[in-house]
Amino acid sequence: MSITPSNRLTKQIQFIIEIDKLKQILRQTLLTDGSRQENSAEHSWHIAVMAIALAEYAPDGVDIFRVIKMLLIHDLVEIDAGDTFCYDVEGNCSKTDRETEAAERLFGLLPADLGNELRFLWEEFEASETPTAKFAAALDRIQPLLHNQQTQGGTWRIHGVTRDRVMKRIAPVEVGAPELWAFIQKLVEDCVAAGYLSSCAK
């Protein structure tokens, strides 16, 4: 006997199939072995696991389960909007509009209650005002930093990124994960000392 899925299940399956496209979105960040660019699905998985591994450094009031959910869905909008390189000034001018439109379509594929739940999670992450969102944002800044350190400056060297720009980019770590801030600052300085990151524009 065949079973006809409910309209709710049909929408959920449609969403699940659609988000597979995130695996096709390439980021500027290289894998830690330098062999290729990572895709956005890999990035999301990596920082979600980081949230588990680094949960003990989360400030009071942070909901780690909510952090994990945020990190797993925060880049889904890139399916439509593409990955905007964090140091691309021109691309970042239109990023908010492109990603908001993408959120409307993608979360709109789901049943309204579930779509609204994920949309609110995404909006909370983007606003970065709650302790939970700030911790999630901090992890999102730390992960590519680690990749660049492991690839001897990988993306930084390719794009001529300097220390001042990196420090501006990782500033949310100081507020979102203050217990990790001293470690992150030292990591940057070690990268400068090793020649992985230039202290000034050439």
Side-chain angles (χ1 to χ4, degrees), residues 87 141-150 152-153 156 161-174 180-200:
Y87 299 109
R141 299 300 200 276
I142 292 172
Q143 190 256 9
L145 179 69
L146 295 174
H147 278 242
N148 278 300
Q149 185 260 344
Q150 289 294 308
Q152 293 78 53
W156 295 334
V161 177
T162 53
R163 179 189 177 281
D164 62 317
R165 298 177 74 192
V166 171
M167 291 304 296
K168 183 177 180 180
R169 177 65 183 167
I170 64 171
V173 177
E174 183 175 12
L180 297 174
W181 182 234
F183 167 77
I184 293 302
Q185 286 180 298
K186 185 177 186 305
L187 186 67
V188 171
E189 297 312 320
D190 288 348
C191 286
V192 172
Y196 302 161
L197 178 63
S198 176
S199 60
C200 59

Side-chain angles (χ1 to χ4, degrees), residues 8-77:
R8 181 179 180 84
L9 179 57
T10 297
K11 289 181 177 180
Q12 290 165 321
I13 295 299
Q14 181 186 7
F15 175 78
I16 290 167
I17 293 170
E18 185 69 11
I19 64 172
D20 186 68
K21 293 177 181 177
L22 193 64
K23 300 172 187 176
Q24 301 171 12
I25 306 300
L26 293 180
R27 293 166 48 82
Q28 292 295 325
T29 307
L30 302 175
L31 297 184
T32 56
D33 67 359
S35 62
R36 63 172 175 81
Q37 293 169 261
E38 72 172 349
N39 65 54
S40 288
E42 292 168 331
H43 166 72
S44 298
W45 160 80
H46 201 185
I47 52 178
V49 177
M50 280 177 63
I52 299 170
L54 300 176
E56 65 195 83
Y57 304 103
D60 292 340
V62 170
D63 180 340
I64 289 296
F65 182 53
R66 191 169 179 85
V67 169
I68 293 168
K69 290 197 290 184
M70 274 185 193
L71 294 175
L72 286 172
I73 63 99
H74 81 289
D75 276 342
L76 288 181
V77 292

